Amino acid sequence: MKILIAEDDVTSITLLANVLKNIGHEVVETTRGTEAWEKFQEPDAPRLAILDWMMPEMDGVEVVRRVRSLQTDRPPYLILLTARGKKTDIIAGLESGADDYLAKPFDIGELRARVEVGRRMIEMQDTLIRSREALAHQATHDPLTGMLNRRAILDHLQKELVRAGRHANALAVGICDVDHFKQINDTYGHQTGDDVLCGLSKILAESLREYDFVGRMGGEEFLLITPLRMENDCLFLFERLRRKIADSRIATRSGEVTVTVSIGVAYAVDGSSVDVILEAADRALYQAKNDGRNRVAKQGHCFSVENRT
Ligand code: GH3
Ligand code: MG
Ligand code: MG
Ligand code: MG
């Protein structure tokens, strides 16, 4: 792993670097505390560092203090190197935020052992972060399609509505529901139905532009959010999507399957609420179904919760 050594004594830094290189570490050396501090602010900052306490310009304890003030979920493991062997010094060093210390002159075996402890701590931290990220992903994504789940897409809608209100932009929200999906399940089986949902989610994801969002609301229903300029009509966008789906042959375990969707669209501006806009899109969807399916319907224009005068 990459280890930073900051030590102003040339003999000492050479010895440290050689020991660490011999056990396979990549070593970055500096003789100045200020340069060490700069390295911690770079994008691929070292995860483990050995910092001499006494250095001109900026001492090791000050580097530790500064590093600990950085906002990061991967704080580096910091070992202070000190000729000051008094208990009070050691306590002060650890209280500044160092994880460990090494007394000079150091013992090579002890150096290796303490660096190994640091490496294990970093590994453990990475494992924890990975499992936390996996949990966060699970909480926000649909396991079948890998799309944003209901909660996550509704969170996005809430955020987009606030943003749209702030910038006086309009937002279009479409509920896309597969037509006669039950027949797919009845004809080919539930697993083929699942394949169709996965194929559809791919088509939807491919059709997104940079600022669009899509998520699975549940079942065979998807929510699409697209920010718009006031003067733009978004219906062509949903219409293009509807046609693309109708023209697609979706690969499934039972061969290629074609489905159509109906899309209910609602527009929002000026602090519309999630509930109001979903209800409007739902009504439009109902209308599209009633009018014969495989179509886009729009209901109303502007759903404002605040009556601005
Ligand atoms: P409509 O055109 O009116 O929307 O008809 P529909 O058959 O699509 O609507 P309905 O609500 O009657 O049926 C939806 C079906 O979707 C019923 C349910 O079994 C199926 N479904 C819901 N979630 C899943 C899923 O995750 N996988 C599969 N294969 N089917 C699902
Ligand atoms: Mg020194
Ligand atoms: Mg449905
Ligand atoms: Mg349906």
Side-chain angles (χ1 to χ4, degrees):
M1 74 185 300
K2 186 158 87 178
I3 299 178
L4 171 71
I5 308 174
E7 157 67 286
D8 62 333
D9 179 72
V10 179
T11 319
S12 179
I13 198 170
T14 309
L15 180 58
L16 277 166
N18 284 342
V19 172
L20 296 178
K21 279 179 200 163
N22 280 342
I23 49 174
H25 295 296
E26 180 196 343
V27 176
V28 180
E29 300 170 40
T30 174
T31 52
R32 293 165 48 232
T34 44
E35 200 186 344
W37 165 231
E38 279 161 22
K39 297 250 181 261
F40 282 111
Q41 298 169 83
E42 287 170 5
D44 65 335
R47 302 287 303 282
L48 196 152
I50 299 173
L51 306 166
D52 186 27
W53 186 316
M54 304 295 281
M55 283 183 287
E57 290 174 57
M58 192 185 291
D59 66 24
V61 169
E62 179 58 21
V63 176
V64 171
R65 266 195 212 105
R66 292 190 183 203
V67 170
R68 290 300 179 234
S69 73
L70 293 173
Q71 290 292 327
T72 171
D73 56 359
R74 285 181 166 79
Y77 191 88
L78 304 176
I79 301 172
L80 265 182
L81 197 57
T82 173
R84 307 161 69 142
K86 282 199 305 201
K87 281 265 184 295
T88 47
D89 291 332
I90 292 165
I91 291 168
L94 293 175
E95 277 180 353
S96 72
D99 296 290
D100 200 0
Y101 72 95
L102 198 59
K104 282 203 278 195
F106 59 83
D107 174 84
I108 289 178
E110 188 183 348
L111 167 69
R112 282 198 196 131
R114 292 192 185 274
V115 165
E116 177 57 20
V117 170
R119 194 195 60 74
R120 283 205 303 266
M121 294 295 283
I122 289 164
E123 211 169 73
M124 207 151 71
Q125 190 186 65
D126 285 347
T127 306
L128 281 173
I129 289 172
R130 272 198 301 274
S131 56
R132 192 187 64 198
E133 284 169 354
L135 281 175
H137 192 269
Q138 274 170 32
T140 50
H141 289 76
D142 168 47
L144 176 66
T145 61
M147 267 186 168
L148 293 178
N149 65 17
R150 182 187 182 92
R151 194 209 310 181
I153 190 68
L154 290 181
D155 276 354
H156 269 298
L157 178 55
Q158 176 64 46
K159 281 191 200 124
E160 289 302 307
L161 286 173
V162 170
R163 199 206 310 267
R166 206 165 44 224
H167 300 293
N169 289 336
L171 203 63
V173 173
I175 298 180
C176 169
D177 184 290
V178 185
D179 298 326
H180 300 305
F181 188 60
K182 202 172 162 303
Q183 281 175 17
I184 303 279
N185 281 335
D186 292 347
T187 311
Y188 304 102
H190 204 267
Q191 286 187 316
T192 297
D194 282 358
D195 292 345
V196 170
L197 293 176
C198 290
L200 265 179
S201 64
K202 228 183 254 164
I203 299 174
L204 289 169
E206 280 166 10
S207 313
L208 294 190
R209 297 167 311 174
E210 197 182 347
Y211 298 107
D212 298 341
F213 292 102
V214 62
R216 186 178 178 200
M217 287 291 274
E220 23 71 272
E221 215 167 280
F222 302 90
L223 189 76
L224 300 134
I225 305 169
T226 175
L228 294 171
R229 296 238 176 104
M230 290 293 224
E231 65 269 21
N232 277 357
D233 189 352
C234 71
L235 282 185
F236 81 95
L237 191 128
F238 290 111
E239 174 54 23
R240 204 175 52 202
L241 186 62
R242 179 203 64 75
R243 209 174 326 127
K244 187 171 175 189
I245 291 169
D247 291 344
S248 296
R249 286 199 289 264
I250 298 173
T252 74
R253 68 196 70 203
S254 312
E256 288 178 336
V257 172
T258 303
V259 293
T260 62
V261 297
S262 299
I263 307 178
V265 181
Y267 290 175
V269 288
D270 265 3
S272 314
S273 80
V274 168
D275 287 348
V276 169
I277 196 161
L278 284 184
E279 212 181 292
D282 238 344
R283 271 199 305 271
L285 175 64
Y286 185 75
Q287 190 186 318
K289 293 280 183 186
N290 269 349
D291 288 353
R293 293 178 170 78
N294 192 20
R295 69 196 60 222
V296 177
K298 182 188 79 177
Q299 191 168 50
H301 265 274
C302 163
F303 305 90
S304 182
V305 282
E306 293 163 43
N307 272 330
R308 298 192 179 176
T309 49

